[in-house]
Amino acid sequence: MDLTDLPADPVPHPDEAGVVPGLFLPCASDLRPSLVAWLGWLQGERRASRHTLDAYGRDLAAFLTFLRDHRGEEPSLATLASLGPADFRAYMAARLTQGLSRPSMARALSTLRNLFRWLDREGVLRNGAIATIRSPRQPQAIPKALSESEALDALSVASDLQDDPWLAKRDLALFTLLYGCGLRLGEALDLDRGDLPTGEVMRITGKGRKERLVPLLPVVVEALADYLAACPFAGGPDDPLFLGSRGKRLNPGVVQRQMRRLRGFLGLPETATPHALRHSFATHLLAQGGDLRTIQELLGHASLSTTQRYTKVDAGTLVNLHGATHPRAR
């Protein structure tokens, strides 16, 4: 069975669907209320984003599906309490055989750690076996940024790949926002029309529901206004800003597909993704003399060490700048 897929039963339980739409958790009736309560706690107390809840829900469903096949029965509270290190290792090995990446493996394990800590804290059950499982070691990934000319080329032809004029303006507005403000794709797609500012800055809610202010370039404001003027769907302040062709909130998969088309059209590398526009925003600011603390605030990074990865991306520029300006280099 492909553990990256949801279980065969496509009908979600009502209380599960209320937290994560479309989710189905294959488990015994005594376990389901606790799992739904945990997802509700993530949403209400931890203020997890819709994308985080979706990811945790998929990880949880994959784990329960594995246990159902591994133990030959619907997972129950007793099942979770009886799991040992070998069971968790078998689950991770099964995910590995499905080609799950190391970051996704680490997140899947983090999902289970979070769940079992919550179950323990709420007095539902206690099982410390998960604490003995180490997370896969993660490579120190260096962000893949586009060059300035590649980023500008991407924006210049973003609207050429759509036949419908308003969809063309939408794509241009979205890509301009990602590159001009350094937003994550999820942050941009979560915006409602009421989030558009009347001044020169926009308030963005990022990971962990942390808010930050992001300056808006005139070109970004113009692209957004142009898109909204052409959009055939009317909407109020609580309606999505970026819409799909049927008037619903734009799906990230559609954006990824458009970026792949753009990549092929311009001959860009596979690393040219919507998220690469955010990396390009940070890298190009650094190249122009922006300081790390300011870039950290603009990106919404909790730790400066995350932002410092961009110094590796632009090491060539820093070396050239050092050689051209340091007194002892003359």
Side-chain angles (χ1 to χ4, degrees):
M1 174 177 289
D2 188 346
L3 295 177
T4 60
D5 293 334
L6 289 178
D9 190 340
V11 181
H13 194 276
D15 50 10
E16 297 160 5
V19 180
V20 180
L23 179 65
F24 175 76
L25 301 177
C27 62
S29 58
D30 70 329
L31 176 57
R32 179 172 287 110
S34 294
L35 299 181
V36 173
W38 171 67
L39 289 169
W41 173 79
L42 289 173
Q43 183 181 51
E45 298 296 326
R46 293 289 297 274
R47 303 176 69 185
S49 70
R50 175 169 53 89
H51 303 287
T52 299
L53 282 174
D54 287 345
Y56 273 42
R58 290 194 302 271
D59 287 339
L60 180 57
F63 179 62
L64 295 173
T65 301
F66 166 79
L67 287 182
R68 185 178 62 182
D69 297 338
H70 184 59
R71 291 291 188 94
E73 61 183 7
E74 293 290 310
S76 63
L77 287 172
T79 304
L80 264 59
S82 68
L83 295 176
D87 296 305
F88 290 111
R89 292 193 186 98
Y91 167 63
M92 299 303 289
R95 299 301 308 261
L96 184 62
T97 61
Q98 297 299 320
L100 209 65
S101 66
R102 282 192 286 179
S104 295
M105 291 273 289
R107 189 199 65 208
L109 192 56
S110 176
T111 297
L112 296 184
R113 287 196 180 112
N114 190 301
L115 170 63
F116 277 88
R117 280 198 302 265
W118 184 88
L119 291 172
D120 187 5
R121 189 166 58 247
E122 294 296 311
V124 178
L125 62 87
R126 173 172 294 183
N127 186 333
I130 187 68
T132 66
I133 309 300
R134 290 187 176 184
S135 295
R137 179 171 293 181
Q138 302 300 309
Q140 189 63 26
I142 298 177
K144 304 296 191 299
L146 302 176
S147 68
E148 291 187 29
S149 61
E150 288 174 336
L152 294 177
D153 286 345
L155 296 184
S156 68
V157 302
S159 59
D160 295 340
L161 303 180
Q162 292 279 13
D163 295 329
D164 195 317
W166 83 268
L167 292 176
K169 293 178 184 296
R170 179 204 66 190
D171 289 354
L172 177 59
L174 176 57
F175 290 147
T176 303
L177 181 63
L178 296 179
Y179 178 56
C181 297
L183 268 59
R184 301 177 178 93
L185 178 58
E187 293 171 345
L189 298 186
D190 279 343
L191 290 173
D192 295 328
R193 295 196 181 199
D195 295 323
L196 282 180
T198 56
E200 297 178 342
V201 295
M202 176 184 290
R203 187 176 298 276
I204 298 298
T205 302
K207 289 186 176 181
R209 310 300 295 172
K210 294 179 181 177
E211 293 187 344
R212 68 185 189 275
L213 293 178
V214 177
L216 286 175
L217 298 170
V219 66
V220 176
V221 176
E222 180 180 345
L224 289 170
D226 199 25
Y227 152 62
L228 287 176
C231 181
F233 300 99
D238 295 328
D239 291 313
L241 173 59
F242 291 106
L243 301 175
S245 59
R246 298 182 180 179
K248 303 297 183 181
R249 190 179 295 274
L250 183 58
N251 188 296
V254 174
V255 184
Q256 299 283 2
R257 185 182 66 221
Q258 285 303 105
M259 194 67 187
R260 286 195 296 270
R261 294 181 63 197
L262 186 64
R263 205 162 60 207
F265 186 82
L266 292 174
L268 298 175
E270 291 188 2
T271 53
T273 63
H275 204 65
L277 293 174
R278 169 175 161 89
H279 293 322
S280 304
F281 163 85
T283 304
H284 299 166
L285 281 183
L286 180 64
Q288 296 300 321
D291 67 275
L292 283 174
R293 285 293 182 186
T294 300
I295 297 174
Q296 177 190 1
E297 291 295 325
L298 292 174
L299 292 173
H301 285 160
S303 170
L304 183 62
S305 62
T306 304
T307 314
Q308 285 175 329
R309 291 181 302 166
Y310 291 97
T311 61
K312 299 178 182 178
V313 176
D314 204 56
T317 298
L318 294 179
V319 169
N320 293 335
L321 180 64
H322 179 271
T325 59
H326 197 283
R328 294 303 299 271
R330 297 169 185 167

